[in-house]
Amino acid sequence: MTKTKERAEDTRPLVYQCRLPLSMRTVNHHADLLRRRLKAIRSRWRILPPGRIAVIVLAVLRHDQRLADMAGGNNVSESTVRRWRDELIALLAAQAPRLDRALKKVAKRGGEVVLIDGTRIPPPSAAPERPTGGTTPANTTITACTSSP
């Protein structure tokens, strides 16, 4: 009895390719975050290297690729891609500045924060006063993104 590795009835797996314009700096940054996380939790291995995981997650996030499509093309399960996506989002969120610290920084410069939907967040009232005698910088306006599920 011989074993064949061909699929039944001569079917071929479908592969969907798209161009993902990413810089090496972006991919390396995300891969480094994953490498640090793996060292911190003392994980011995993952099914794919951190660089490939980063590219898969960025394709899911940036081009809205379906999890099942990305999983099937890389021989991993859909739940694995979902877990990688959630893990990388959590790692990126941990690096983001907290809102209260960002507001204090803007208030120190004498600016205001305006969200994309037009909501104005006033600076905290406990902001330290600027020393007099110097030129006051122009008002700084930060535009923040809001997402709706």
Side-chain angles (χ1 to χ4, degrees):
M1 182 170 156
T2 61
K3 294 183 180 179
T4 60
K5 296 197 180 217
E6 293 181 26
R7 297 179 186 268
E9 299 177 15
D10 198 36
T11 59
R12 302 280 181 221
L14 296 174
V15 177
Y16 174 76
Q17 294 180 352
C18 70
R19 184 174 177 163
L20 188 61
L22 293 172
S23 67
M24 284 303 295
R25 184 176 176 192
T26 302
V27 175
N28 286 337
H29 175 70
H30 290 83
D32 287 342
L33 284 175
L34 286 170
R35 283 186 199 100
R36 277 187 250 140
R37 167 79 173 143
L38 292 175
K39 277 188 180 180
I41 63 173
R42 294 185 177 165
S43 176
R44 290 188 213 153
W45 64 279
R46 293 269 171 111
I47 196 164
L48 293 176
R52 288 269 311 267
I53 293 172
V55 170
I56 291 168
V57 170
L58 288 170
V60 169
L61 293 176
R62 190 156 184 189
H63 281 284
D64 200 23
Q65 293 291 318
R66 288 186 6 201
L67 296 175
D69 291 341
M70 295 306 296
N74 292 290
N75 295 325
V76 294
S77 69
E78 182 180 351
S79 61
T80 301
V81 175
R82 181 179 296 113
R83 190 180 69 244
W84 288 342
R85 180 199 62 193
D86 295 344
E87 181 181 23
L88 192 59
I89 288 173
L91 291 172
L92 289 170
Q95 284 191 324
R98 290 181 26 190
L99 181 61
D100 60 339
R101 291 180 186 159
L103 286 175
K104 284 181 185 177
K105 186 184 264 187
V106 170
K108 188 187 277 187
R109 294 185 197 151
E112 63 183 8
V113 175
V114 180
L115 300 178
I116 286 179
D117 62 357
T119 308
R120 180 182 174 271
I121 299 177
S125 60
E129 293 293 324
R130 297 191 62 79
T132 59
T135 60
T136 307
N139 282 347
T140 306
T141 302
I142 292 181
T143 304
C145 296
T146 57
S147 63
S148 58

